Amino acid sequence: MNSHLTGAQTLLPRIDWNIRFFGAHTQTVPADWSMTTESHHAFEILIVLDGAQETRMDHEQFIVNSDDILLIPPGFEHTNKCISATSMTYFCAHFDIDEPSLRMRIMKL
């Protein structure tokens, strides 16, 4: 028997938090598609499945290409537009975490 498994007790941290996912959808949009400026009370995760998108957030421009993932923190105003020649397909979902320190750690990513 391994000595590191006997006699010593390992305590795992108590984790008591919830993650709530909502508003998930996939959409194909035409080349001239854009969204007005918006913000959310929760995180938004965006995955471009086909094509490319420009996202403007916090005075920065992000080009999100096929298979890229963009995480938008709560409260950040942002705009999205298709920059593909024909169309773009994306997946989007929102999620929220009720544990403040974990929420802040994710926002710093």
Side-chain angles (χ1 to χ4, degrees), residues 33-106:
W33 174 86
S34 65
M35 282 292 295
T36 59
T37 301
E38 61 180 359
S39 67
H40 310 284
H41 295 291
F43 292 92
E44 179 177 346
I45 187 165
L46 181 109
I47 304 169
V48 173
L49 303 172
D50 185 51
Q53 171 178 295
E54 174 190 278
T55 298
R56 292 191 175 270
M57 174 177 54
D58 199 27
H59 306 292
E60 292 188 56
Q61 176 190 39
F62 301 91
I63 303 300
V64 189
N65 293 299
S66 183
D67 297 328
D68 286 349
I69 298 174
L70 181 65
L71 180 65
I72 301 173
F76 277 65
E77 288 189 348
H78 58 281
T79 58
N80 300 314
K81 74 176 183 179
C82 176
I83 57 172
S84 299
T86 56
S87 66
M88 175 188 69
T89 301
Y90 68 90
F91 169 80
C92 176
H94 298 87
F95 67 95
D96 203 6
I97 300 169
D98 67 357
E99 203 286 313
S101 63
L102 179 58
R103 184 180 171 100
M104 291 306 295
R105 287 178 64 187
I106 294 172

Side-chain angles (χ1 to χ4, degrees), residues 7-19:
Q9 183 179 14
T10 302
L11 297 177
L12 297 175
R14 181 172 180 258
I15 299 173
D16 185 16
W17 43 265
N18 298 294
I19 299 177

